[in-house]
Amino acid sequence: MQAVVLSGGFGTRLRPLTYKVPKPLLPIANVPMIEYVLAVLPDEVDRVVLATNYMVEQLEEYFEKKEHPFEVVINTEPEPLGTGGAVKFAQKYIDDTFFVLNGDLISSLDAGKMAQFHRKSGGVGTIALYEVEDPTPFGMITTDDDGRIQEFKEKPKPEEVTSNTINAGTYILEPEVLDVIPDGQKISIERETFPSLVPKGLYGLPFQGYWCDAGTLPKFLEANGLILENDKALAAPLQSYVESIGHLCVGKNVQAKGDPVLKDSVILDEVVIEDGVSIDNCIIGSGSTIGQGSILSGTIVGYDQDVPPGTKLTDGKIPPEN
Ligand code: GTP
């Protein structure tokens, strides 16, 4: 089997971090996010096509150095082709049933079980489903009792909710699906390709456990918490701080002076935290310095930023670049 990992988005909601590092390489519990995505793939996957177009050199460099039990092909689009266009653009590397995975997902999906279900169902595709209380911010999917998909609804209004299962961003598709995606066009697989495949037999398989699309500040922090709670196997050793509260991930060579209050945050490598600092629900990019007495809450500090002493940043405000 093959797998296409969608890794070409700009990651705008994680800026300013994604000005310097592509989202798939941002660390969750000190390990690049993409490793958690690749870790769900069953052994029968022998080739992974990374569908990229943003910060490709960094991805190339990473995959040149890192060994994996499958071949990794970096397939760079001439321009962003959307999730469907990127899959079509990978066609030359696909000759078998294949996975498609969003490159920013942290989940406990059993992809081997999903492949078994797919073969049994005989459909052209299977979509991993996840149960949520409120599907309105997501792509809602309604199935019949056999799992055959009846309806897709992107971000349904409350009165349109007919199901509480959503598209969990992982698919198994037959190569014939590629024939319905036009060449060289920007296409959304979720909004355009899948609804057109319903008459051909698309199935949904719910899974239990955890699932998180780590593409925003709160979700990135949640993803770190999930890994700390559930899946320490991949995570590199983390430093712990006595003053820490809640889920806290601290990278290598972080220096904290005095008694900082560090709560529910991700602090990447080589950060310097001066005296009297409070950091709560933040991501702090590697190499940054947080000046004395700064209070940061719900903010993203980029890589190598100098946050001046006495800075107060809350509610999603990010420090200006320097
Ligand atoms: P935002 O800019 O913050 O919305 O993030 P994003 O660009 O990553 O978008 P989103 O989270 O909606 O994308 C879901 C997945 O599809 C991510 O893994 C993206 O890397 C990937 N993706 C989105 N658009 C493209 C594209 O045009 N080409 C490729 N190859 N991947 C894409």
Side-chain angles (χ1 to χ4, degrees), residues 6-14 23 51-53 77 80-83 86 102-104 213 215:
L6 296 167
S7 327
F10 295 123
T12 51
R13 291 165 298 164
L14 285 175
K23 186 163 61 170
T52 59
N53 53 65
E77 294 143 44
L81 290 173
T83 48
N102 284 358
D104 55 2
D213 162 347

Side-chain angles (χ1 to χ4, degrees), residues 5 32-41 101-106:
V5 180
M33 187 184 302
I34 195 151
E35 292 299 338
Y36 298 101
V37 179
L38 298 174
V40 307
L41 292 172
L101 305 99
N102 284 358
D104 55 2
L105 293 177
I106 302 301

Side-chain angles (χ1 to χ4, degrees), residues 14-17 19 217 279 281-285 288-291 294-322:
L14 285 175
R15 285 178 182 167
L17 295 168
Y19 286 132
L217 169 63
I279 297 175
N281 274 285
C282 294
I283 311 172
I284 312 293
S288 289
T289 298
I290 312 301
S294 293
I295 298 175
L296 308 182
S297 170
T299 192
I300 302 178
V301 175
Y303 283 78
D304 302 314
Q305 283 202 260
D306 259 332
V307 175
T311 300
K312 288 196 174 51
L313 283 170
T314 54
D315 297 335
K317 297 241 164 42
I318 58 170
E321 299 264 359
N322 48 29

Side-chain angles (χ1 to χ4, degrees), residues 156-171:
K157 298 194 186 95
E159 63 273 20
E160 292 171 330
V161 170
T162 52
S163 156
N164 60 351
T165 48
I166 60 160
N167 177 345
T170 300
Y171 323 117

